Amino acid sequence: MFGLIWTLGNFCATLDPKDPSKPQLGTPRKIGQGCKFRSFTTNNYKCNFLEVPSGIKLVLNTHREAPDLSDVLQSLYDDIFVEYVVKNPTYNPGQPFTSEQFMNALNAFLRQNGLLQQQQIMQAAV
Amino acid sequence: MSVYSLYVINKSGGLIYNRDFTEAARVDTNDSLRLASIWHSLHAIAQQLSPVPGCTGIELLEADTFNLHCFQTLTGTKFLLVVDPHASFIPALLQRIYELYSDYVMKNPFYETEQVIKCELFDENVEQLVRRYLQQAM
């Protein structure tokens, strides 16, 4: 998945039709440079993506009909990840983490947005 | 509300047609070949990565300044259209381009399948179709 996301990021930056100084394919790209890729849709799922300035990438797979979720991802990062993970003194940046508070806050947030219900319906149908 | 470029990729991932409709969208020839092959692989990876079975690959890629629509035919040929994020009715436009392809490219007796498309009639008709679409969109 990381390879896919990383390549899509480079792909979008090179293909950008509005940037006069766009990078050539293959040149190393800094975080946040060039056109950013937001989401891709296939016939049965939609993958939403956000890269924050620290390099952390958030990937959210949803139903195909989901609207633009970049605000949702941004608030997910601001209100939940930063609160419960970054501010946790035992968290090592870049390492996998397990945090019950993070999971609970995440579930509550998604349920509030009505997103978790859709996911449950999808899982029941599969 | 504009169409930036059209790419046609054969079933092995090679670029067989590339048309830029605006100057700003121009990508280096080598880069466009690489982009086509990369897209072919990304399409396949996204299919594998699907959380539910039955995925047929990426149909739409959204970025900040453009959207990329992909139409895959039953034979594995992919039509990519890079457009403005506010463009509408692009799946219908892609369907029309596919019809033009089957008329002017596939029915051309001198055209070898999976090779680069060099058919004047196809070029002219694609140009006309896109121009008409842009006029209607205004």
Side-chain angles (χ1 to χ4, degrees), chain A residues 5 73 106:
Chain A
I5 303 288
L73 279 171
L106 185 66

Side-chain angles (χ1 to χ4, degrees), chain A residues 28-79:
Chain A
R29 189 175 58 95
K30 297 205 192 79
I31 299 172
Q33 184 189 29
C35 182
K36 290 185 268 304
F37 135 71
R38 281 192 200 160
S39 71
F40 70 77
T41 317
T42 70
N43 66 324
N44 52 12
Y45 78 102
K46 179 172 181 179
C47 175
N48 303 281
F49 172 75
L50 177 73
E51 180 173 27
V52 292
S54 63
I56 303 279
K57 299 167 194 28
L58 283 86
V59 176
L60 185 66
N61 287 341
T62 60
H63 188 263
R64 187 201 153 96
E65 307 288 328
D68 186 30
L69 289 175
S70 29
D71 300 326
V72 169
L73 279 171
Q74 185 71 43
S75 54
L76 216 153
Y77 175 73
D78 289 335
D79 301 330

Side-chain angles (χ1 to χ4, degrees), chain B residues 86-138:
Chain B
H86 306 292
S88 50
F89 302 116
I90 297 293
L93 183 62
L94 273 170
Q95 190 72 30
R96 283 287 303 132
I97 292 177
Y98 178 49
E99 284 167 26
L100 289 179
Y101 168 81
S102 49
D103 281 338
Y104 295 109
V105 179
M106 297 315 282
K107 294 180 187 169
N108 183 342
F110 299 111
Y111 173 71
E112 296 168 35
T113 38
E114 312 298 307
Q115 297 304 314
V116 174
I117 295 174
K118 281 191 167 50
C119 309
E120 270 180 39
L121 282 176
F122 180 67
D123 286 337
E124 283 169 18
N125 279 281
V126 163
E127 175 85 46
Q128 268 179 18
L129 180 68
V130 171
R131 204 167 294 145
R132 252 185 299 144
Y133 166 81
L134 290 173
Q135 277 173 355
Q136 276 174 359
M138 295 287 178

Side-chain angles (χ1 to χ4, degrees), chain B residues 25-71:
Chain B
R26 174 110 7 120
V27 177
D28 201 25
T29 330
N30 281 337
D31 275 359
S32 59
L33 289 167
R34 277 187 224 128
L35 282 173
S37 323
I38 289 175
W39 177 260
H40 181 84
S41 321
L42 293 178
H43 192 93
I45 294 176
Q47 214 172 329
Q48 301 282 329
L49 214 53
S50 164
V52 287
C55 182
T56 58
I58 302 181
E59 291 179 3
L60 167 63
L61 173 74
E62 282 161 26
D64 291 338
T65 51
F66 70 92
N67 279 0
L68 178 91
H69 292 251
C70 175
F71 173 67

